[in-house]
Amino acid sequence: MIQDPADRLQDYLVFGEYGGVNPSIEDSSTFTFLSVEKMEELFEHEIEGCFLYSRHLNPMNHYLGKALAALEDTEYAQITSSGMAAIVCTIMQICSAGDEIISSRTIYGGTYALMKNFLPKFGVTTNFVNIVDLDAVKAQITPKTKIIYCESISNPLLEIADLASLRLLADEHGLQLVVDNTFSPLMITPVHHGAHIVIHSLTKYINGSSDCVAGVICAPHDFVVSLRDVNNGAAMLLGPVLDSLRSASILKNVHTLHIRMRQHSKNGMYVAKGLQELGVKVFYPGLTAHPQHNLFSGMLNPGYGYGGMITLDAGTEEKGNKLMVRMQEEKVGYHAVSLGFYKTLFSSPGHSTSSEIPLEEQESMGLSQALVRLSMGIDNDIERSFERIKSCMQEVGII
Ligand code: PLP
């Protein structure tokens, strides 16, 4: 078994139609058949190498799915047109009206809003818990629970879920452990720690160039096939297909992910340590002061570090806002939502990616309005970048 996910990716080769080093892009929404019987057969079940209609499956999404299944060590993967589509399709495939989800309360704001506001319209309700408190998770399990949902590193507080313990709970009650691994591709392989299904927003690190929106569901073969069942599949029937051209460009970027992740992590660690030394309240799982540092260290694949995501407390909302404006002016990076870009991105979670969470709930989970989240880029000279961050902080009065 190949343990390093980058080595599994390396071994995934696809040739183009004329022997090209990249697969040929099949620029077609529909596919021809030589017999009526074969077409009927494909409506009934998938046949390797046969394609029916691009929303069902197309060659490029199949190739990208195979590459990402290699990354996450799952049997197969379903590509979707966004990370949210991956989350919606997974939940709707597993849950029916009346079912319940237990979710970490610190998740991406869009996922939170989906579970809190949208899914109840279809009879699917969610109990939000502190995912690091296993007793609290256990207490929420009812005969109607179908899914335990969490992010491997939570957004934006960077808490670490104990996947192995969550899996034990899931097994006791016949639940699916669904893990969003968007913040930590390559760094951890959630199925090795107990996840049944792994989701990514490809929009972030995996693509890495902030030029598109896409998602993936990495899962056992039968689950992936069920997602595109012509009569019953959430991906087939809700229709979030990713265009082949975009899928092809993501596939090319996937193969540089290991180099990028190492640099994101190197820069993340440098800045997190520097901020800590300056006395700034900083959340970063690579720091020994992080409450789940040891747990996370034990889960990491060697060599990819602790990631590029850092959250700091600017003291007040006003200082946080000023800091972001100054950092953009000083070319530290961009004041923008999202993450995983080659340049540094920063935003205030309370006003952006977590703004869907009501203010009092944000406060109860420790999500202060003074938080600033940084997605460290792959800057060549991180010492130079850190000096700029430091001088912006001095100017704004944070240090
Ligand atoms: N999961 C996480 C952890 C995210 O941060 C995001 C978006 O920010 C999503 C899922 C949703 O992904 P997308 O924007 O590709 O739909």
Side-chain angles (χ1 to χ4, degrees):
M1 193 165 88
I2 301 172
Q3 280 298 334
D4 192 314
D7 294 341
R8 287 194 298 272
L9 262 171
Q10 163 108 42
D11 288 351
Y12 181 62
L13 298 182
V14 196
F15 295 91
E17 197 180 349
Y18 298 101
V21 293
N22 289 303
S24 312
I25 301 170
E26 198 73 51
D27 198 17
S28 299
S29 58
T30 191
F31 297 83
T32 55
F33 287 81
L34 294 177
S35 77
V36 172
E37 291 76 22
K38 199 74 181 170
M39 187 188 269
E40 278 174 0
E41 206 185 326
L42 204 54
F43 265 96
E44 278 159 26
H45 60 88
E46 288 193 9
I47 307 168
E48 180 80 29
C50 285
F51 300 92
L52 176 70
Y53 185 64
S54 195
R55 169 160 49 81
H56 178 252
L57 183 62
N58 57 65
M60 195 50 73
N61 284 354
H62 172 69
Y63 299 142
L64 181 59
K66 287 265 197 189
L68 295 176
L71 170 75
E72 287 298 6
D73 213 8
T74 57
E75 288 173 0
Y76 203 4
Q78 173 74 25
I79 302 301
T80 55
S81 56
S82 68
M84 283 311 296
I87 295 165
V88 172
C89 287
T90 302
I91 293 173
M92 293 197 110
Q93 196 64 28
I94 296 172
C95 294
S96 304
D99 288 341
E100 294 175 5
I101 299 168
I102 296 174
S103 170
S104 167
R105 59 188 187 168
T106 51
I107 48 172
Y108 165 58
T111 314
Y112 182 90
L114 169 78
M115 292 176 179
K116 174 113 185 183
N117 308 327
F118 196 80
L119 289 176
K121 291 197 284 189
F122 304 94
V124 176
T125 51
T126 302
N127 296 306
F128 294 97
V129 294
N130 177 358
I131 204 76
V132 299
D133 180 351
L134 290 170
D135 289 332
V137 178
K138 200 169 181 175
Q140 295 293 343
I141 298 175
T142 76
K144 294 177 181 168
T145 310
K146 288 286 177 332
I147 292 175
I148 299 179
Y149 184 94
C150 63
E151 295 173 1
S152 40
I153 305 181
S154 78
N155 186 3
L157 290 173
L158 312 181
E159 292 168 336
I160 310 299
D162 180 352
L163 298 183
S165 303
L166 290 171
R167 173 60 181 258
L168 288 177
L169 273 183
D171 282 349
E172 262 177 51
H173 300 273
L175 315 178
Q176 292 287 303
L177 177 59
V178 179
V179 178
D180 180 334
N181 198 28
T182 299
F183 278 31
S184 44
L186 288 174
M187 291 162 51
I188 76 157
T189 306
V191 292
H192 292 178
H193 305 283
H196 292 99
I197 297 171
V198 181
I199 286 170
H200 280 276
S201 163
L202 302 180
T203 317
K204 313 294 167 19
Y205 285 106
I206 290 184
N207 185 50
S209 44
S210 288
D211 55 1
C212 75
V213 173
V216 68
I217 306 161
C218 300
H221 183 269
D222 289 353
F223 185 73
V224 173
V225 169
S226 76
L227 283 166
R228 47 182 186 244
D229 184 284
V230 292
N231 293 307
N232 243 319
M236 178 65 183
L237 301 176
L238 297 174
V241 65
L242 183 66
D243 184 78
S244 296
L245 292 174
R246 192 47 90 178
S247 203
S249 76
I250 297 173
L251 181 59
K252 282 174 271 195
N253 288 352
V254 170
H255 289 284
T256 57
L257 181 63
H258 56 298
I259 301 168
R260 291 186 275 116
M261 284 313 291
R262 286 197 183 104
Q263 192 69 14
H264 284 298
S265 287
K266 181 175 163 250
N267 292 352
M269 184 62 108
Y270 186 92
V271 171
K273 275 191 175 159
L275 292 173
Q276 189 185 42
E277 277 162 24
L278 292 173
V280 177
K281 188 174 171 195
V282 56
F283 304 80
Y284 183 69
L287 298 176
T288 49
H290 186 284
Q292 292 98 37
H293 173 73
N294 289 340
L295 168 73
F296 195 47
S297 300
M299 290 164 74
L300 288 174
N301 291 319
Y304 297 104
Y306 290 84
M309 301 304 297
I310 301 173
T311 301
L312 65 88
D313 194 324
T316 66
E317 186 179 340
E318 197 193 349
K319 285 181 181 174
N321 293 345
K322 280 188 181 158
L323 175 67
M324 292 186 292
V325 171
R326 284 298 294 130
M327 287 198 297
Q328 181 162 264
E329 284 165 358
E330 291 305 317
K331 303 187 177 67
V332 172
Y334 294 110
H335 176 208
V337 296
S338 203
L339 56 122
F341 187 33
Y342 45 76
K343 289 201 187 270
T344 297
L345 299 178
F346 32 84
S347 57
S348 153
H351 290 110
S352 57
T353 51
S354 300
S355 58
E356 293 87 345
I357 304 172
L359 210 54
E360 63 281 8
E361 286 178 45
Q362 289 191 35
E363 274 160 20
S364 80
M365 59 179 80
L367 213 161
S368 127
Q369 296 302 301
L371 293 184
V372 174
R373 190 188 76 177
L374 292 118
S375 164
M376 292 310 303
I378 57 174
D379 309 20
N380 176 47
D381 185 349
I382 193 62
E383 289 177 35
R384 190 176 77 126
S385 305
F386 182 66
E387 283 309 312
R388 289 178 177 177
I389 296 173
K390 202 167 116 182
S391 84
C392 292
M393 286 186 141
Q394 276 163 342
E395 242 180 76
V396 168
I398 296 172
I399 51 174

